[in-house]
Amino acid sequence: MNPWPMLIADLRAMRWTALLVMLLIAVAVAIGVSIGAQERALRQASARAADDLPLLIGAPGSQTQLVMTAAYLQIEAIPLIDGGLLNTLAADPRVAGVAPIAFGDIVRGWPVIGTTAPLVTAWGRLSPSEGRVFRAESEAVIGADVALPIGAEITPSHGVKAHGPVGTETKDEHARKHEGTVYTVVGRLPRRGTPWDRAILVPIETVWETHGLGNGHQIEDGPLGPPFDAKAVPGVPAIVVKPRGVADAYMLRSAFRQGGTMALFPAEVLVSIYRSIGDLRDVLLVVTALNNLVVLLAVLLVAVTLVGLRRRGYAMLRALRAPRSYVFLVIWLGVAILIAGGCVGGLALGWIAATLAAEWIAQVTGLHAVATPGWSKLRLVLILLLVGSALAVVPAWLAGRTPVSTALRES
Amino acid sequence: MPSDPGLRLANITVTVRGHGETLPILAIPALAIDAGTSIGLAGPSGSGKTTLLHVIAGLLRPDHGTVVWDGSEVSRLSEAARASWRRRVVGMVFQDFLLVPELSALDNVLLPCGFSGFSNRAQRAPAIALLAELGITAPRRRAAAMSRGEQQRAAIARALLFRPKLILADEPTASLDAMTATAMTDLLVAQATATGATLVVVSHDTRLLSRMDRVVHLDRGRLA
């Protein structure tokens, strides 16, 4: 049996309806696919952003705010902790590395982060893709997405978020500029796919000095980084600690959860956030599944109506010697093709939507999430296709129920 | 059981159920149509002509009675077996032609190949030749773009392609102008004669009926 000529004729006759049906299914599928792909991509990207911050120490308060500020550079004013802890931690045998994080200044929308060289190189894991790491207080290393050339000279403003090329500063930025503080860009880091790609990393000493807090050392223009002068070192918003081992990490977390500090693994905050996102995703998935079911039922209704409208043509086929199974095959295959086309279109549409959303998120947050269709999503689409194909039996079966003689007499 | 060639109908009754009662719409005690002859079924609208044609075609199973073709009782066959019998024996021309408007004349003629066990490729040349014989020289034009006369000719070509032994036509000249109707009548009769097929035509058209070997009149489901 060759159902294609009649099938193609049916699809031609109902081309606009067929296109609308496929679009309807495609949109329903795309919503589910893009939600799933985006959620998974965001999860991976956000976990990657926290990779280089094994243990965070800050002032007691919101754990989420500390992680959002330190890992994702969603900068907000948070209480400071005693800068002397940097020396304490540097001397602790359980600590493999320690680095402060200080912020508040901005250059054309790029946050200026004061820290020390170990954090710039992600504890020695990274080396600049261009230039080198800062060696003097007036030098800066930029993230991969900072549109500045090596050798550029920049002056930060205090807390003014404005975007655009250097040299087009707003009045507000000019008014809050730290006159006298000039950084020369000496290096660029490779892309990490995290908000740190948009950061300008400078010696913490310069950040302190810019804000009138000294440079944390007894002498001017001495070597950068620890040890700091216990009496001169100012407070810092957060300290990143790289413990030597897992047991050390837990001991340090426990030790610095008291006495005016809060220690946490960013991962534990992420797990809590993921749990909330996961709950939301589950709700969205249920809603999406119900949505898909409603769309399938709507498609079924459309199919039954269309088959009713073409009933005389199908009766003609039967009168022209076609077995019932031929007509069944034509109708079933037609509906199944529409559903399959919608599913494939939905996968493509969902992937495009997820990619666009990922680009938008990357622009807003710096999190480079790569959206790929996961197996679970494909499985859901496959289930939708199977259920749809099973439901397509209904209009095909109904078409066979009308007596040929009766259908032929209809006008 | 009669064994002579042709069509034999005996004690045919078809009823419909409605409003709690059963109404007879066709009652034919006996009707014999010899092989290779033509017969016209005439009568006013609602007299049961098309119902009788559907009974002959095996599209409608009578409540009682027998339809026998060449000695085989068609009316006793299952639906699938009747479809198979139609595949081997019957060619039908429908009222309004019932072409698939989205397909070309050629594809309409070849459409039954998809389920009749004939090779589409093998039947292509004969189909084009048949269409040409019937005056359709552009067989790849879509049916929707053809005139009524061309559509009618394509419908006849579809019915005749597999050289059926029994040609059934339901109002084949309805809605055609007089000249086209005459041409169609000539064509149908000539094709039936050429292939030795039995021709059964339902029509109100007296010119068409006059070309039949015999005409039977129906009135309220009975032979008048």
Side-chain angles (χ1 to χ4, degrees), chain A residues 1-3 5-6 9-10 12-13 310 312-313 316-324 326 404-406 408-409, chain B residues 50-51 54 59-60 79 83 86-87 90-92 94-96 98 100 102-103 111-112 114-116 158-159 162:
Chain A
M1 284 196 287
N2 175 14
M6 193 61 202
D10 273 358
R12 264 192 207 157
R310 289 179 73 82
R312 199 157 173 244
M316 174 272 290
L317 289 177
R318 301 272 308 282
L320 284 179
R321 321 158 196 141
R324 202 188 282 254
Y326 178 83
V404 178
S405 178
T406 309
L408 279 176
R409 286 162 182 268
Chain B
T50 299
T51 303
H54 287 180
L59 297 174
L60 185 63
E79 189 188 305
R86 272 199 303 280
R87 221 169 290 155
V90 180
M92 283 196 83
F94 303 98
Q95 202 172 349
D96 302 335
L98 285 182
V100 182
E102 295 79 18
L103 296 181
L111 188 61
F115 42 79
S116 293
R158 184 177 62 187
F162 304 129

Side-chain angles (χ1 to χ4, degrees), chain A residues 29-92:
Chain A
V29 169
I31 290 171
V33 168
S34 58
I35 286 173
Q38 199 52 54
E39 184 267 341
R40 193 175 49 255
L42 263 180
R43 193 184 286 231
Q44 288 165 353
S46 57
R48 193 170 57 236
D51 272 354
D52 294 325
L53 312 178
L55 180 67
L56 271 179
I57 298 175
S62 164
Q63 294 191 353
T64 306
Q65 191 184 30
L66 182 62
V67 172
M68 293 305 286
T69 303
Y72 306 112
L73 304 183
Q74 300 293 309
I75 292 171
E76 287 189 40
I78 53 176
L80 304 181
I81 51 172
D82 178 13
L85 277 177
L86 288 165
N87 288 343
T88 312
L89 285 161
D92 194 309

Side-chain angles (χ1 to χ4, degrees), chain A residues 359-406:
Chain A
E359 278 178 20
W360 177 76
I361 288 169
Q363 274 179 6
V364 173
T365 66
L367 276 177
H368 287 269
V370 181
T372 50
W375 168 240
S376 63
K377 281 286 124 206
L378 287 175
R379 198 172 49 198
L380 274 179
V381 173
L382 206 61
I383 289 171
L384 182 71
L385 181 60
L386 287 175
V387 171
S389 302
L391 287 175
V393 165
V394 175
W397 176 73
L398 284 176
R401 284 194 69 205
T402 312
V404 178
S405 178
T406 309

